[in-house]
Amino acid sequence: MTAATRTKPFILVIDDEPDDLRNDIELGLEDRAAFDLKHPRDVGMDDLEEADLVLVDYLLDNWPELRDQKCIGMQPLTGLALTAIFRDQVDLLGKDRLTAFALHSARLDNLLGRLPLLSAQHVLARLNNLEWVFPKTEPRRYDQMVILAEAVQRLPREWSDREDDSASQLESLIGMSEEVPWFDRCWREVHECQPPIHDLRDGGHGVLLIRWLLQQIMPYPTFLWADHWAAARLRVPVEEFRIVLDEKNTLSEELKPMRYSGLLAGFFGNRWWRGALEDYVWELAGGGAGDAETLRAALRDRAGKELGFIESNPPVVCLDQDFQPTGDFASPANSLRLRPDHWPAFADAAWMTLEMVQSNPALQALVDPLDQDRIGDDNEE
């Protein structure tokens, strides 16, 4: 089946022990994507031309012919080096579709350095000219592979050089509708996060949009919020927030249109339009963002039951030392803002509790200058 007639995305898996992976990949993809699995020595230009997503193993120990090469320039020691070669070949093809590249390995720790694995996948990808890195131990990796390959399939090969047309392309791809009342606010927040629209209009590679979403937008609280930030805005514990979403009630129905459904939706789980939630909570609280009792009563009426309520006002999402949400919330009075490496300037602040920062000198160095004088303060209310 040719690329023009395929409806499923095509994933090319390159591994130095392909036979050991075949059954696992076939079960993981569950017929949601076509795939081929090849040893690096057997990959041809036609394989690369067909692929929406190319996955390359990091360690290439089972490739004896490679060691026989006398020229070190022809000895890619890792899948990272091999990926660079394959990407160059794909770019030379000038094909009418696009291809994403990712590592797929059980040994990504070799790349990590001091970066924690759970929070560093987007950073590793960004630093190594990749769209993503998939640990072979990640339970959701096959779902994510399919989502990524489908996103690449949807990308236009060329973008309009007219501003209005390219804006419409972006709106469509990220699932925005001008019919919703919060469109103007959300669209403004999208632009504040610097989408690569100008680069795309000037002939930039369409996968730039994938990278922007996967590496700078979705891992952080930007114009899209993960469940923890959405729950904090509603002042509901995150687990109760998730439970109420799965129930049939007015609250879950009203929230449904605010869930992100555009390109790469589901890759990290739920994402929510920040501007939509901000407007929604403002209306629930009767135009008073800080009116806790009015908000609590409105949520109770819509959920059809009493919900847990976060008393901190306003609540901030507490992060752990890997900069992942802990599930706990605190007030700004007993938390500190941090400026972690790679945290985008346009993202909402990263917050940690005073106690956590005070116990870790490495974290103290990352505290926002505006909060530096509070590091030693144990007496915040």
Side-chain angles (χ1 to χ4, degrees), residues 10-14 36 43 47-57 79 82-83 86-87 90 95 98-104 130-132 134 145 148-149 152:
F10 181 76
I11 300 174
L12 175 63
V13 185
I14 301 171
D36 199 1
V43 176
D47 300 309
L48 296 173
E49 189 170 12
E50 284 290 301
D52 297 299
L53 172 62
V54 177
L55 302 172
V56 185
D57 190 23
L82 190 62
T83 297
F86 287 148
R87 187 186 290 277
V90 167
K95 61 177 187 173
L98 300 167
T99 303
F101 285 85
L103 289 183
H104 179 225
L130 298 165
E131 276 62 71
W132 198 248
F134 292 101
M145 289 173 192
L148 176 52
V152 174

Side-chain angles (χ1 to χ4, degrees), residues 57-226:
D57 190 23
Y58 180 67
L59 293 182
L60 305 174
D61 296 331
N62 188 25
W63 194 358
E65 302 93 331
L66 195 65
R67 312 302 170 223
D68 295 336
Q69 293 288 338
K70 298 188 183 301
C71 174
I72 62 172
M74 299 177 67
Q75 295 182 30
L77 297 182
T78 67
L80 190 58
L82 190 62
T83 297
I85 295 171
F86 287 148
R87 187 186 290 277
D88 284 345
Q89 293 293 332
V90 167
D91 289 344
L92 288 173
L93 285 171
K95 61 177 187 173
D96 61 357
R97 296 181 307 105
L98 300 167
T99 303
F101 285 85
L103 289 183
H104 179 225
S105 176
R107 296 302 306 275
L108 291 176
D109 53 314
N110 290 21
L111 277 175
L112 286 174
R114 295 184 178 182
L115 296 171
L117 180 58
L118 290 177
S119 63
Q121 286 167 260
H122 60 286
V123 178
L124 281 177
R126 188 176 183 183
L127 294 177
N128 290 286
N129 195 28
L130 298 165
E131 276 62 71
W132 198 248
V133 293
F134 292 101
K136 288 182 179 177
T137 55
E138 168 57 56
R140 292 193 62 245
R141 67 190 183 280
Y142 291 116
D143 294 335
Q144 291 178 320
M145 289 173 192
V146 173
I147 291 170
L148 176 52
E150 288 176 340
V152 174
Q153 229 185 1
R154 286 185 57 193
L155 288 173
R157 183 62 182 88
E158 294 183 357
W159 286 70
S160 172
D161 57 4
R162 296 181 56 191
E163 185 172 353
D164 289 348
D165 292 342
S166 60
S168 295
Q169 285 178 292
L170 178 59
E171 284 179 30
S172 175
L173 286 167
I174 63 175
M176 296 196 75
S177 168
E178 297 185 15
E179 303 302 317
V180 296
W182 54 80
F183 172 81
D184 288 340
R185 177 172 184 166
C186 290
W187 186 237
R188 183 175 65 253
E189 292 181 353
V190 169
H191 278 276
E192 288 170 352
C193 292
Q194 303 169 6
I197 193 72
H198 299 293
D199 292 330
L200 293 169
R201 283 209 308 265
D202 291 339
H205 201 289
V207 175
L208 286 172
L209 184 61
I210 296 282
R211 290 194 180 191
W212 177 67
L213 286 168
L214 280 186
Q215 298 173 15
Q216 297 185 68
I217 299 302
M218 292 180 169
Y220 304 101
T222 57
F223 65 85
L224 296 179
W225 273 347

Side-chain angles (χ1 to χ4, degrees), residues 151-380:
V152 174
Q153 229 185 1
R154 286 185 57 193
L155 288 173
R157 183 62 182 88
E158 294 183 357
W159 286 70
S160 172
D161 57 4
R162 296 181 56 191
E163 185 172 353
D164 289 348
D165 292 342
S166 60
S168 295
Q169 285 178 292
L170 178 59
E171 284 179 30
S172 175
L173 286 167
I174 63 175
M176 296 196 75
S177 168
E178 297 185 15
E179 303 302 317
V180 296
W182 54 80
F183 172 81
D184 288 340
R185 177 172 184 166
C186 290
W187 186 237
R188 183 175 65 253
E189 292 181 353
V190 169
H191 278 276
E192 288 170 352
C193 292
Q194 303 169 6
I197 193 72
H198 299 293
D199 292 330
L200 293 169
R201 283 209 308 265
D202 291 339
H205 201 289
V207 175
L208 286 172
L209 184 61
I210 296 282
R211 290 194 180 191
W212 177 67
L213 286 168
L214 280 186
Q215 298 173 15
Q216 297 185 68
I217 299 302
M218 292 180 169
Y220 304 101
T222 57
F223 65 85
L224 296 179
W225 273 347
D227 284 350
H228 292 79
W229 281 266
R233 191 66 189 90
L234 291 166
R235 301 185 65 172
V236 175
V238 67
E239 291 307 321
E240 286 198 55
F241 173 69
R242 288 169 172 163
I243 289 170
V244 83
L245 289 175
D246 290 334
E247 297 174 343
K248 189 174 180 58
N249 54 62
T250 302
L251 181 59
S252 63
E253 289 300 311
E254 289 180 348
L255 289 173
K256 192 180 299 182
M258 304 176 205
R259 195 194 310 249
Y260 178 74
S261 60
L263 205 68
L264 295 162
F267 191 92
F268 292 99
N270 287 335
R271 288 296 182 270
W272 303 88
W273 289 100
R274 177 177 64 187
L277 277 166
E278 292 277 19
D279 283 357
Y280 182 65
V281 171
W282 180 266
E283 292 296 329
L284 288 186
D291 191 340
E293 288 308 313
T294 302
L295 175 60
R296 187 171 190 168
L299 292 173
R300 180 179 61 243
D301 291 345
R302 283 161 172 75
K305 62 181 182 181
E306 190 70 51
L307 297 175
F309 199 71
I310 302 169
E311 297 298 335
S312 302
N313 186 23
V316 297
V317 177
C318 295
L319 305 180
D320 62 20
Q321 296 184 39
D322 293 337
F323 301 103
Q324 298 298 295
T326 63
D328 296 326
F329 304 93
S331 73
N334 52 30
S335 309
L336 295 169
R337 290 166 291 189
L338 277 74
R339 289 187 175 180
D341 295 341
H342 307 291
W343 194 278
F346 50 70
D348 295 345
W351 291 89
M352 284 189 185
T353 62
L354 272 166
E355 181 181 6
M356 179 173 291
V357 174
Q358 289 168 342
S359 66
N360 189 328
L363 293 175
Q364 293 173 23
L366 301 177
V367 172
D368 189 296
L370 294 174
D371 282 351
Q372 279 284 343
D373 61 341
R374 299 179 53 228
I375 293 175
D377 193 344
D378 299 333
N379 301 313
E380 296 286 353

